[in-house]
Amino acid sequence: MTNETLLSARGLSLSFGAIPALVDVDADLWPGEVLAVVGESGSGKSTLLNVLSGRLRQQDGVVWYRDPEGRLHDVHAMPQPALRALHRSDWGFVHQNPRENLRMSVSAGGNVGERLMAQGSRHYGNIREAAIDWLRQVEIDADRVDDLPRTFSGGMLQRLQIARTLVTHPRLVFMDEPTGGLDVSVQARLLDLIRSLVRRLDIAVVLVTHDLSVARLLAHRIMVMQRGRVVESGLTDQVLDDPHHAYTQLLVSSVLQA
Amino acid sequence: MAYVAVKGGERAIDNAHAWLAEDRRGDPAVAEIGTDQIAEQLGRAVDRVMAEGSLYDRELAALAIKQAQGDLIEAAFLLRAYRTTLPRFAYSRPVDTAAMQIRRRISAVFKDLPGGQVLGPTYDYTHRLLDFALAAGGQPPPAPEAPADDMRMPRVSDILGHEGLIERDGAPDGEPGDLTREPLAFPAGRDLRLQALARGDEGFLLALGYSTQRGWGGTHPFVGEIRLGEVSVEIEPPELGFAIDIGDMTLTECQMVNQFAGSKTVPPQFTRGYGLAFGHAERKAMAMALVDRAMRAEELGEDVKAPAQNIEFVLYHSDNIEATGFVEHLKLPHYVDFQSELETVRRMRADAMRMQEAAE
Amino acid sequence: MNALSGYNFAYLDEQTKRMIRRAILKAVAIPGHQVPFGSREMPLPYGWGTGGIQVTAAVLGPSDVLKVIDQGADDTTNAVSIRRFFGRTAGVRTTTATAEATLIQTRHRIPETALREDQIIVYQVPQPEPLSKLEPSRAETRRMHGLAEYGLMHVKLYEDITRFGHVSISYDYPVLVNSRYLMAPSPIPAFDNPKMHMMPALQLFGAGREKRIYAVPPYTAVKSLDFDDHPFRTTRAPHACGLCGATDSYLDEVVTDDRGGRLFVCSDTDHCETRRAAGHVGAEAPTADELAAE
């Protein structure tokens, strides 16, 4: 890890009416690092993800992003075209529901190739090759390349979404409950896949999950959120093995009980 | 006072109807319109009322229009209400539109074809400039006539079908259903869908058909053919054992030729949307054909996303008699239900105010 | 022809014409960009050329010579109707000869005869939004144009090649204008697309119902979208014109019987007549005896 963060947030605050969603949140992410944001629903973790990725605007605070040339950008001050371009090149977003991201009436190959075409690739054969290569990397049979996603299982859809996101080799991927809604056995396989891809490709990830076991398996560091505040953060193993904050202790013990 | 009137007052109702009759008649110094005038001179209105009223009778439709002061949905309602009382002697045999006595026949997909393009009595190429001469009245000069020729006019769908370029008519799946006798159930077959569309509101179908052209469930339509003319209606009484001609009716038929289905291995074919309406009703027949094709999306393996592709949505909302009834029923007293709402809201407000006071 | 009394020259009032001209100037300045305009009710129905008619009315002058075609032909009903409309409301000279016209209003074709710098061609456009079949929301397509995000259009081409082995769009084939804006060329056959590229004449597009005007200035690059390894190709019926024998013109298919009989003839009637007048004869052309018998 270098000394320079890929993404830095300082003093993020946002409320929806009287309900505080974020209260003075700081966050840092270094290249190649997986940061888990955990908490119960309503803790503000998804709001934080949306603010960090520029999809939602905070009321106070700032998010800095460092581009591959080392220049810093205030994410929320970037012009719309630049932010959208960033979202389809150096960044990626993996939704809990893959149907939100995939085009269900476009073949698997077309889904994976879209970001390449958006970046100007104009060679059908090369795009298709890249799509097949990525299907293999996410453990989908290459002969499914022309099939429509609606013929895929839930786990396959999620893997297809990951292929579609990673095809442009982003350095930073936001993930919102990527294993939510899947069977336990399917979850385990998907977690293994995400872990190996992230390590091999050296991708930094901001991972939102309510599931501490997911965080333990994937994340280097963890932030625990409650009612919009970060109540505890640190190295994943330290925080989960020796929780200091009462809320973290409650979360960890409820997992143990379950 | 008004409520008392709504609640019961027969006198109020009678008075209202008397007023309505007076209002309908208008200035007595102006000559009263005859139903024959409506039937002859407001033919398109009569056609629409027959279609949406689901009853082919020009005189009755003209009467309904007169009675409804030209409110065509009201007139269709009158006709429907009359129709439902009629005994049903027989179901006709399918009419043969290939044997139609053609007054108008156009195709947008071929420049020329056997039988030719026949414009017929159409507004299509009129310039929409108010014709003040018409206000003054008078006889139009006679239209030029050509001797009738007996040239066959094969349907464009048959011409394309000859080469296998277009899907065939689906094989009939037993006797077609009858919406006017059996309540609609889902999944609704194409027979019932076409029936519902044929009596559906022209405006509603027009808007839905239009929406498919603007990307909400697009079907790449071409007008294969529109034909207008007279067909004979035949019934086959069981005691006779052969068909007898019971009269002619005017129909407008639209065969829409739509985007092909197929793949590298399955040869592509054009698909079809079908529209048929009583009388001269081109807009209706075209809109119907667009919506019919849109509703076949699932059957043809297309995504179902747009309103026009949603069979349930379309069929449940296309009937303007149903729609106007339910919308206008809101005029009826609802004070019992409203009262209960009032009480609930009052209780909630009182609770909220108590909490507020307690907090202060 | 006498102009229709009680109406301004070419039907529209001068204020409206100025509004339309401003939209046209903006459209010319930003090639391929759809400029919204206050499309008026016309005495012809929406979808029958109200956009083209308004554009024509706004640029037409008394000395212009007008040609109107529909499907390439001067004698189709809608072309006759529109030509008559301008005959009545503007009293301008009309022609069927492409070379004689200063202004050509067209629906679905570009004439075969190459156009010149002193000519304007006005296209009637039913759907100006090239992305409409892929993204129904106009708010979203406007954003996509603004950001030049056209990946989705290439996804459509990719899918076509995957499913059919080639792009299945045969008309209204999307083009990129001046390397910037994705544009619908109106439902002309893809065969005509190459004629738009670096055309010396000014190309104007009017969509009345959708209330958009756009333009391609003279000598502007117009590229039909494709892939490097699946380049854009035009197709035409593999026949010679039955009347004039042309083998390079776009052909109409005329059904001659219901047993599969077909006659192929030039869709551009002026082109065909000009060729026949110059002595070209097709295999199905009537003989002198047949002509005499008519």
Side-chain angles (χ1 to χ4, degrees), chain B residues 125 127-128 152 210 214 262, chain C residues 43 77 81 163 209-210 258:
Chain B
Y125 303 101
H127 297 152
R128 268 56 163 199
R152 286 190 52 231
Y210 177 46
R214 292 190 70 263
Chain C
T77 40
S81 171
R163 274 191 75 190
R209 186 180 42 82
E210 296 279 347
D258 57 354

Side-chain angles (χ1 to χ4, degrees), chain A residues 17-225:
Chain A
I19 303 158
L22 296 177
V23 182
D24 198 22
V25 172
D26 293 348
D28 288 298
L29 184 71
W30 279 270
E33 182 194 38
V34 178
L35 170 67
V37 183
V38 301
E40 295 168 302
S41 84
S43 62
K45 57 188 192 302
S46 290
T47 305
L48 178 61
L49 193 73
N50 285 330
V51 168
L52 289 178
S53 60
R55 290 151 55 97
L56 192 63
R57 185 172 287 277
Q58 71 283 15
Q59 283 149 346
D60 265 311
V62 65
V63 179
W64 295 102
Y65 154 72
R66 191 182 310 275
D67 70 19
E69 280 76 46
R71 288 173 306 223
L72 280 176
H73 302 268
D74 174 347
V75 167
H76 295 88
M78 285 173 81
Q80 191 69 11
L83 186 62
R84 280 174 74 124
L86 185 58
H87 263 286
R88 52 171 202 265
S89 54
D90 200 32
W91 286 8
F93 205 110
V94 173
H95 297 260
Q96 174 174 0
N97 179 0
R99 288 175 184 80
E100 277 181 35
N101 191 357
L102 295 170
R103 295 188 189 279
M104 299 304 284
S105 55
V106 166
S107 68
N111 265 292
V112 178
E114 179 168 357
R115 277 166 73 117
L116 295 175
M117 291 183 250
Q119 288 189 349
S121 293
R122 293 291 177 265
H123 190 285
Y124 175 83
N126 293 351
I127 293 164
R128 195 174 159 78
E129 273 310 303
I132 289 171
D133 179 48
W134 271 100
L135 290 183
R136 282 208 195 94
Q137 294 200 43
V138 298
E139 300 166 13
I140 295 176
D141 276 349
D143 59 10
R144 303 298 300 269
V145 65
D146 295 338
D147 292 351
L148 295 182
R150 60 177 170 225
T151 65
F152 286 16
S153 69
M156 283 171 77
L157 284 179
Q158 197 55 290
R159 281 180 274 138
L160 181 61
Q161 185 189 195
I162 289 167
R164 173 177 162 88
T165 305
L166 298 188
V167 67
T168 54
H169 297 282
R171 293 187 305 146
L172 169 57
V173 176
F174 300 93
M175 294 190 182
D176 189 1
E177 306 273 13
T179 59
L182 296 174
D183 294 342
V184 176
S185 61
V186 177
Q187 275 194 23
R189 182 176 171 195
L190 185 62
L191 284 171
D192 273 349
L193 176 72
I194 293 176
R195 185 166 62 169
S196 68
L197 282 174
V198 162
R199 290 213 179 134
R200 185 156 55 80
L201 301 168
D202 201 27
I203 298 169
V205 176
V206 181
L207 168 75
V208 158
T209 180
H210 69 283
D211 188 339
L212 294 188
S213 57
V214 170
R216 191 190 280 280
L217 194 69
L218 293 181
H220 301 104
R221 283 192 306 121
I222 193 167
M223 285 167 59
V224 183
M225 292 190 71

Side-chain angles (χ1 to χ4, degrees), chain C residues 9-12 17 20-21 24 37 42 49-62 64-69 82-83 85-87 89-90 92-94 102-107 120-124 204-207 213:
Chain C
F9 175 80
Y11 189 76
L12 293 175
K17 287 187 192 172
I20 295 171
R21 287 176 198 142
I24 292 172
F37 81 110
M42 298 299 285
T50 53
I53 292 168
Q54 290 180 80
V55 169
T56 296
V59 299
L60 190 70
D64 269 311
V65 181
L66 178 68
K67 172 182 167 80
V68 183
I69 52 173
I82 292 171
R83 188 162 56 241
F85 176 76
F86 283 112
T89 58
V92 293
R93 197 152 76 77
T94 59
T102 58
L103 208 161
I104 299 167
Q105 178 167 332
T106 181
R107 179 167 171 271
I120 296 175
I121 180 165
V122 176
Y123 298 78
Q124 298 172 201
L204 300 176
F205 299 78
I213 285 172

Side-chain angles (χ1 to χ4, degrees), chain B residues 110-114 119 124-125 127-129 152 154 159 162-163 210 214-216 220 222 260 262 264, chain C residues 43 45 48 73 77-78 81 85 88 133 136 138 162-163 171 209-210 252-255 257-259 262:
Chain B
F110 291 114
K111 180 166 186 170
D112 202 357
L113 63 175
L119 279 186
D124 283 357
Y125 303 101
H127 297 152
R128 268 56 163 199
L129 304 169
R152 286 190 52 231
I159 292 172
H162 186 74
E163 250 184 88
Y210 177 46
R214 292 190 70 263
W216 299 82
H220 306 259
F222 293 91
F260 46 85
K264 267 186 216 163
Chain C
W48 298 54
T77 40
N78 203 38
S81 171
F85 176 76
R88 286 172 76 189
K133 290 193 181 96
R138 292 299 180 276
T162 300
R163 274 191 75 190
Y171 62 88
R209 186 180 42 82
E210 296 279 347
D252 277 339
E253 184 170 342
V254 178
V255 179
D257 57 47
D258 57 354
R259 297 179 309 279
R262 297 287 191 277

